Amino acid sequence: MSKTILERRLFGPGPSNPYPEATSALGLPLLGHLDPEFIARMDNVCDGLRVLWGTKNSRTLPLSATGSAGMEAAFVNTINPGDVAVIAINGLFGERMCEVASRVGAEIVRVEHDYGTPIDAERVAAAHPNPKVIAGVHAETSTGVVSDIAALGAIKGDALLITDAVTSIGGMPVLADEWGIDVGYAGTQKCIGVAPGLAPFTISDRAFERRVAKPQSWYLDLGLLGGYATGSTGGKRTYHHTAPVAMVASLEAGLNRIQAEGLEAVTKRHQEAGKALQDGIQEMGLELFAAEGHRLPQLTTVKVPNGVDSAKVRSYLLNRFNIEIGGGVAQYADTVWRIGLMGPNANPASVALILASLKEAIDKA
Ligand SMILES: *Cc1c(COP(=O)(O)O)cnc(C)c1O
């Protein structure tokens, strides 16, 4: 890179700026992936992830890839060709679930919702009498909407409930056991406040027992991964693939940071920052995109005002203030902005900075 770039403020849909502790940990001396010190670190990470997931699942681990690989792992391990998957779609990531599920041969029942609205559990329940899997996104980063996953858990019956918690985890309460989540996947680069590269994953015993015997993917075969990370096998670590040791160290530091502040305080900080931003945006005379009452605090969607060029505003923010925000997705690419306040960025100073810079960008871009 020829140009020196000052630190970007990553206020888009992710990656977000990591906690400084997580960045520093990337520089720790590298350990071998079977080193006892590393194994202790991995245990620590799995324990920390269980807290974030709100689960006692022994099979809770960071998969060595990004959130989308968590999505692949969820479907490839639960769906045999011809199995019925009812998928709630209220944004891009619900669409991606359909794409992934179709590749493992699922018979997909789509339950479509308007973008900007939450998942309607009653419609999901009515879509099919006995699906193998029901799937939905907790925090739709593409639209800024939170859905009630407990309501899906309540109607799932005998189905396995797959939940995307990529943007919710670490930023708002996720209670996998209480809500009835059987398979959950997430990412490190959003509210956990760590660089992209790992997919925190959890699967219940019930789902593990009903898993696909020989999934299409060797890398994401949870049967083989059992001995890689978790103590679930009760015995020796086995080599499956080389753990991304530096990323695991970074995740450990991020989780320790969250633990030190307290998970409740962290989610409250996200809640307050998001509310302040959304109030401020409306006071500027702009409109929010996500339906009222279902707005994510950590990801705010804003309607681009008429006559304003979305891309020009975004490049003004980037070039003048080193601030990144996101555009919209699909048919809303040019008419919606997505502003994230995730991890360390969820604070009042970020809110003030965004409001002032966005105002200048709209006036001058
Ligand atoms: C970011 C995101 C993903 C994809 O994660 P990657 O780390 O980009 O692979 C999936 N689901 C949701 C809701 C996301 O926000």
Side-chain angles (χ1 to χ4, degrees):
M1 211 181 292
S2 54
K3 191 170 126 193
T4 305
I5 296 186
L6 293 173
E7 195 191 342
R8 296 281 204 222
R9 308 301 304 265
L10 301 177
F11 295 140
S16 173
N17 295 100
Y19 287 110
E21 294 89 338
T23 302
S24 303
L26 288 169
L28 290 172
L30 208 66
L31 295 173
H33 69 113
L34 297 174
D35 186 314
E37 293 291 326
F38 177 71
I39 288 170
R41 176 168 286 160
M42 184 65 109
D43 281 342
N44 215 3
V45 164
C46 295
D47 286 344
L49 291 179
R50 273 184 277 272
V51 174
L52 253 56
W53 276 112
T55 187
K56 294 199 165 61
N57 289 341
S58 61
R59 293 177 189 84
T60 302
L61 75 164
L63 297 180
S64 309
T66 69
S68 301
M71 188 188 289
E72 293 257 13
F75 287 99
V76 88
N77 283 282
T78 53
I79 296 279
N80 282 298
D83 284 346
V84 174
V86 171
I87 301 182
I89 305 155
N90 64 336
L92 175 79
F93 293 104
E95 278 297 347
R96 185 175 296 179
M97 282 178 160
C98 294
E99 177 63 29
V100 170
S102 78
R103 290 175 188 224
V104 292
E107 187 190 309
I108 296 168
V109 179
R110 296 168 58 95
V111 184
E112 295 182 22
H113 301 70
D114 288 341
Y115 280 24
T117 68
I119 296 169
D120 178 345
E122 282 180 24
R123 288 187 49 221
V124 173
H128 193 277
N130 60 340
K132 168 88 183 280
V133 156
I134 289 177
V137 177
H138 184 207
E140 244 306 349
T141 326
S142 65
T143 61
V145 165
V146 60
S147 286
D148 182 353
I149 298 301
L152 290 181
I155 57 90
K156 74 178 182 181
D158 194 40
L160 300 174
L161 176 59
I162 294 178
T163 300
D164 177 322
V166 177
T167 285
S168 49
I169 202 165
M172 60 186 359
V174 176
L175 302 171
D177 290 354
E178 194 180 315
W179 295 350
I181 296 173
D182 291 288
V183 184
Y185 60 87
T188 42
Q189 76 272 28
K190 302 196 185 178
C191 297
I192 296 181
V194 174
L198 295 173
F201 190 91
T202 191
I203 179 168
S204 67
D205 289 346
R206 170 175 178 265
F208 191 73
E209 279 153 21
R210 290 171 65 185
R211 75 187 185 279
V212 172
K214 194 168 182 185
Q216 277 176 19
S217 168
W218 174 87
Y219 192 67
L220 298 173
D221 180 345
L222 295 172
L224 300 177
L225 280 168
Y228 156 79
T230 73
S232 60
T233 51
K236 236 168 81 61
R237 297 303 154 125
T238 50
Y239 167 69
H240 176 263
H241 64 277
T242 307
V245 283
M247 273 307 299
V248 174
S250 185
L251 177 55
E252 183 188 40
L255 293 171
N256 287 345
R257 168 68 177 69
I258 291 173
Q259 198 183 20
E261 185 178 345
L263 185 53
E264 236 174 88
V266 170
T267 55
K268 186 159 175 271
R269 180 161 54 75
H270 281 82
Q271 189 68 42
E272 290 173 353
K275 170 96 172 60
L277 178 65
Q278 289 166 14
D279 288 350
I281 293 275
Q282 289 174 298
E283 280 159 22
M284 278 169 65
L286 302 178
E287 278 180 65
L288 300 173
F289 176 72
E292 197 175 352
H294 307 281
R295 290 173 184 150
L296 287 171
Q298 65 272 47
L299 194 282
T300 295
T301 43
V302 182
K303 293 184 188 171
V304 177
N306 279 336
V308 171
D309 184 329
S310 164
K312 275 193 184 155
V313 167
R314 283 185 287 122
S315 45
Y316 188 94
L317 289 171
L318 195 66
N319 296 327
R320 179 156 170 81
F321 297 119
N322 259 308
I323 287 177
E324 177 182 279
I325 67 167
V329 302
Q331 67 267 43
Y332 301 104
D334 301 322
T335 54
V336 168
W337 288 312
R338 294 185 296 156
I339 308 177
L341 288 173
M342 302 177 181
N345 289 345
N347 66 64
S350 302
V351 173
L353 178 60
I354 291 167
L355 291 173
S357 329
L358 184 62
K359 185 170 185 322
E360 178 176 321
I362 290 172
D363 290 346
K364 300 201 175 157

